[in-house]
């Protein structure tokens, strides 16, 4: 037990130092230089030039979006303008263009039949207590006409109940509507503020332009039909059932150049695409009402179920500028990674080459304290000289293995 403890202490208090062995082999030398070249190409080409790892980045973009929709359409032979089909009307970054409306007129509070709840007796209706999928609170009574075998359950709420099915053509004129987007952003880390169209653009130029990714990439006016076509959607289907469209404004700014080069890039996608082919909850719709009061003080309302195309404007940003700290960190990482060539070549030499035993014998050598003292006594000098079977290189401590030992 004491001997094992002594051996452990002796092994623990040892020191390892690098020994240089020069291997004169074409195959190993070529592999080493190729690995080093690939590492240099990766860091210079990808890390520094493409990823711009020498920059400090700010992704906490502050953004403000204002929108305006223009255009006229027809529904039931009646002209619709922006006050009729844009909701909400404040011009925010999320808005809807209503393309089809199902109207239930003159609703008053009272008792009426629920069209979706069939019944044979009162007991059938009592089973629907607490049902939230109907148009009112179920009372538990079944209304049946004389000699009818089936009736409808009674509800308490706004009557008559909402119309569930109503054939109405959508407003396909939405294809020609235009959306004006005004987006201002700020990168707080660098105190840089930008807008999505140049300051020198005149009112006349803005009103006459239309966004195109190549011909007019900075125009802030977008044709709805172009947006829908870029997402691969059928305008008539989308106007009938509704849907959600995303407009992404991406700011990728290299602030090492002039700020005028910091410009937005636009992309479009259908956000509810995973549900577009579902039989349940397909499209996009919502309800709202307009309330009135009769002369006798009775309240009544008109209920609207609106199918709409919802637009979500999403702003993302990433600005970068040269900084000493990330440059030094990535430079050190690059220089350190070049040493991977040596590690891989050592693995090849120690495991796969014909002269692996000779290389291992020269690379790993144990020197005891007794050997060091004996060498000092023999040399009577200040330099350490260990006898070796192969040629020693001057004072560098490097051992050279030629192609005679390694192919």
């Amino acid at each position: 037990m004491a001997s094992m403890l002594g051996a452990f202490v002796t092994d623990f208090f040892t020191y390892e130092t690098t020994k240089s062995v020069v291997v004169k082999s074409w195959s190993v030398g070529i592999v080493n230089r190729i690995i080093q070249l690939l590492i240099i190409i990766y860091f210079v080409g990808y890390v520094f030039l493409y990823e711009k790892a020498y920059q400090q980045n700010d992704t906490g973009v502050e953004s403000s979006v204002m929108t305006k929709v223009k255009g006229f359409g027809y529904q039931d032979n009646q002209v619709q303008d922006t006050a009729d089909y844009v909701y909400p009307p404040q011009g925010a970054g999320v808005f809807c263009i209503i393309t089809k409306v199902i109207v239930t007129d003159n609703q008053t509070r009272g008792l009426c039949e629920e069209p979706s709840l069939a019944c044979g007796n009162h007991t059938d209706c009592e089973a629907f207590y607490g049902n939230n999928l109907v148009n009112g609170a179920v009372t538990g009574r079944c209304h049946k006409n004389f000699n009818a075998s089936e009736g409808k359950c009674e509800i308490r709420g706004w009557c008559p109940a909402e119309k569930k099915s109503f054939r109405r053509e959508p407003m396909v004129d939405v294809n020609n509507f235009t959306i004006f987007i005004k987006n201002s952003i700020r990168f707080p880390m660098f105190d840089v503020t930008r807008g999505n169209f140049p300051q020198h653009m005149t009112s006349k130029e803005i009103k006459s332009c239309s966004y195109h990714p190549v011909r007019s990439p900075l125009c802030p006016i977008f044709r709805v039909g172009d947006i829908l076509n870029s997402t691969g959607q059928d305008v008539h289907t989308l106007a009938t059932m509704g849907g959600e469209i995303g407009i992404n404004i991406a700011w990728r700014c290299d602030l090492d150049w002039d700020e005028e080069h910091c410009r937005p890039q636009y992309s479009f996608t259908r956000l509810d695409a995973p549900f577009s082919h579902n039989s349940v909850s397909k499209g996009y719709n919502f309800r709202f009402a307009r309330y009135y009061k009769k002369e006798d003080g009775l309240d009544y309302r008109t209920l609207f179920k609106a199918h709409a195309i919802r637009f979500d404007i999403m702003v993302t940003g990433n600005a970068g500028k040269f900084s000493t700290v990330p440059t030094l960190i990535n430079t050190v990482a690059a220089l350190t990674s070049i040493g991977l060539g040596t590690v891989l070549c050592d693995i090849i030499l120690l495991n796969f080459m014909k002269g692996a035993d000779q290389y291992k014998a020269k690379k790993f050598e144990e020197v005891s304290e007794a050997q060091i003292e004996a060498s000092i006594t023999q040399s009577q000098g200040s330099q350490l000289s260990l006898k070796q079977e192969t040629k020693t290189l001057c004072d560098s401590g490097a051992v050279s293995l030629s192609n005679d030992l390694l192919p």
Side-chain angles (χ1 to χ4, degrees), residues 91-374:
V94 178
F95 62 94
C96 302
I97 297 180
I98 299 172
T99 54
K100 188 176 75 171
V101 179
I102 299 175
V103 182
T104 304
D105 293 310
N106 299 322
Q107 286 187 316
T108 57
R109 291 185 176 90
L111 299 172
C112 57
E113 296 179 356
E114 168 57 53
S116 63
L117 298 183
C119 60
N121 51 55
H122 296 324
T123 304
D124 294 339
C125 295
E126 292 173 358
F128 295 110
Y129 279 142
N131 192 324
N132 293 325
L133 302 180
V134 294
N135 293 289
V138 178
T139 63
R141 289 192 290 270
C142 180
H143 285 190
K144 290 196 301 184
N145 294 327
F146 183 71
N147 290 332
S149 60
E150 186 178 78
K152 300 294 181 181
C153 293
E154 183 187 70
I155 60 170
R156 182 184 299 276
W158 288 95
C159 298
E162 178 188 16
K163 298 176 182 178
K164 292 295 183 182
S165 60
F166 183 76
R167 301 186 63 87
R168 192 174 192 181
E169 286 298 314
M171 185 172 59
V172 294
D173 306 276
V174 66
N175 206 40
N176 296 317
F177 293 174
T178 60
I179 303 172
F180 170 71
I181 300 176
K182 185 167 71 172
N183 173 222
S184 60
I185 59 100
R186 177 176 177 267
F187 293 105
M189 183 179 294
F190 307 114
D191 195 24
V192 173
T193 303
R194 298 292 298 160
N196 65 319
F197 54 90
Q199 296 180 357
H200 59 75
M201 286 189 71
T202 64
S203 176
K204 182 178 179 181
E205 290 174 334
I206 293 178
K207 291 179 180 179
S208 61
C209 74
S210 180
Y211 171 81
H212 188 275
V214 177
R215 295 191 300 268
S216 187
L218 296 181
C219 179
I221 296 180
F222 302 80
R223 183 174 171 270
V224 173
D226 294 336
I227 295 175
L228 301 183
N229 290 334
S230 66
T231 62
Q233 304 301 314
D234 178 69
V235 176
H236 188 275
T237 302
L238 200 62
T240 301
M241 298 303 300
E244 298 177 64
I245 301 297
I247 302 177
N248 184 51
I249 307 177
W251 294 85
R252 302 289 182 267
C253 300
D254 185 353
L255 299 181
D256 291 330
W257 300 89
D258 191 279
E259 292 181 6
E260 289 298 321
H261 296 285
C262 181
R263 296 175 177 178
Q265 294 181 336
Y266 301 92
S267 60
F268 314 98
T269 184
R270 181 167 183 180
L271 300 177
D272 64 332
F275 311 103
S276 59
H277 300 293
N278 286 11
S279 58
V280 179
S281 189
K282 182 188 297 185
Y284 177 75
N285 63 76
F286 61 94
R287 292 170 176 81
F288 64 96
R290 293 173 182 169
Y291 296 87
Y292 309 93
K293 186 182 291 288
K294 295 181 178 180
E295 293 182 357
D296 58 1
L298 180 66
D299 293 328
Y300 71 101
R301 75 177 188 180
T302 300
L303 178 66
F304 301 88
K305 180 182 179 181
H307 293 267
I309 303 174
R310 168 175 164 159
F311 292 88
D312 288 28
I313 301 178
M314 301 163 289
V315 181
T316 59
N318 186 356
K321 195 172 185 178
F322 174 80
S323 179
T324 304
V325 174
T327 302
L328 290 177
I329 292 174
N330 286 282
T331 300
V332 171
L335 296 176
T336 305
S337 299
I338 292 176
L340 291 175
T342 303
V343 176
L344 293 176
C345 288
D346 279 347
I347 294 174
I348 295 172
L349 285 168
L350 292 171
N351 297 280
F352 304 106
M353 298 295 290
K354 187 176 181 180
D357 293 336
Q358 290 89 339
Y359 177 73
K360 189 178 297 184
K362 300 303 177 183
K363 182 172 179 62
F364 303 106
E365 182 177 1
E366 290 187 4
V367 180
S368 67
E369 190 173 355
Q371 289 176 307
I372 296 175
E373 292 177 354

Side-chain angles (χ1 to χ4, degrees), residues 62-114:
E62 300 172 353
S63 173
S64 174
V65 175
M66 189 207 73
T67 59
K68 287 184 180 180
V69 181
K70 297 291 185 181
F72 296 93
Y74 287 88
Q75 195 166 62
D76 292 340
N77 295 322
Q78 295 182 347
V79 176
Q80 306 286 320
D81 62 13
T82 55
D84 297 315
Y85 59 73
V86 176
Y87 187 87
Q90 288 83 5
V94 178
F95 62 94
C96 302
I97 297 180
I98 299 172
T99 54
K100 188 176 75 171
V101 179
I102 299 175
V103 182
T104 304
D105 293 310
N106 299 322
Q107 286 187 316
T108 57
R109 291 185 176 90
L111 299 172
C112 57
E113 296 179 356
E114 168 57 53

